Amino acid sequence: MIRVRFVSSDGDSRDVEAEAGAILLEVAQNDGQPLEGTCEGQMSCSTCHVIVAPEDFARLPRASEEEEDMLDLAIGAARTSRLACQIVLSPELDGLTVRMPPEHRDMQGR
């Protein structure tokens, strides 16, 4: 199992476990985190934007140019921002900490 810590925009944290190979977006949504994922992982929106803890960022594979373009549209993007739909959990990512951005865009109008 891979441990992931989700930190809300107000600082509350919650630890969850997921199988290796799981997509971070799905793990977050299953845990009730406020990530919309409007495009369902097709990398055509930025509604699953998370901010990876600086100490964990280097453990992630490099973002593709397409992901970088989508991050340019994300509200509150930071140097360590990534799209949760592009993070596949692996044993190397055990203990990953991600923070929810302070604002998010609700593309579905909820």
Side-chain angles (χ1 to χ4, degrees):
M1 295 300 273
I2 312 302
R3 293 171 296 127
V4 178
R5 173 169 286 168
F6 293 110
V7 180
S8 69
S9 59
D10 60 9
D12 292 336
S13 67
R14 179 174 170 88
D15 293 341
V16 300
E17 289 187 343
E19 298 283 338
I23 305 296
L24 184 62
L25 172 60
E26 295 167 2
V27 173
Q29 288 175 330
N30 289 339
D31 187 55
Q33 298 298 323
L35 294 181
E36 190 174 329
T38 301
C39 73
E40 299 179 351
Q42 299 302 306
M43 211 170 13
S44 60
C45 73
S46 60
T47 61
C48 69
H49 160 236
V50 294
I51 301 168
V52 177
E55 61 272 16
D56 294 333
F57 189 73
R59 295 195 287 153
L60 295 172
R62 185 172 168 84
S64 67
E65 187 175 327
E66 293 84 4
E67 182 179 356
E68 293 284 349
D69 290 345
M70 285 293 104
L71 287 167
D72 288 342
L73 305 174
I75 297 173
R79 187 184 62 76
T80 61
S81 290
R82 291 296 300 269
L83 297 180
C85 70
Q86 298 302 301
I87 298 175
V88 178
L89 297 177
S90 65
E92 296 78 27
L93 296 178
D94 187 42
L96 179 71
T97 298
V98 295
R99 184 169 47 89
M100 300 301 118
E103 297 180 50
H104 68 281
R105 182 175 287 129
D106 185 346
M107 301 295 280
Q108 295 182 354
R110 288 186 259 143

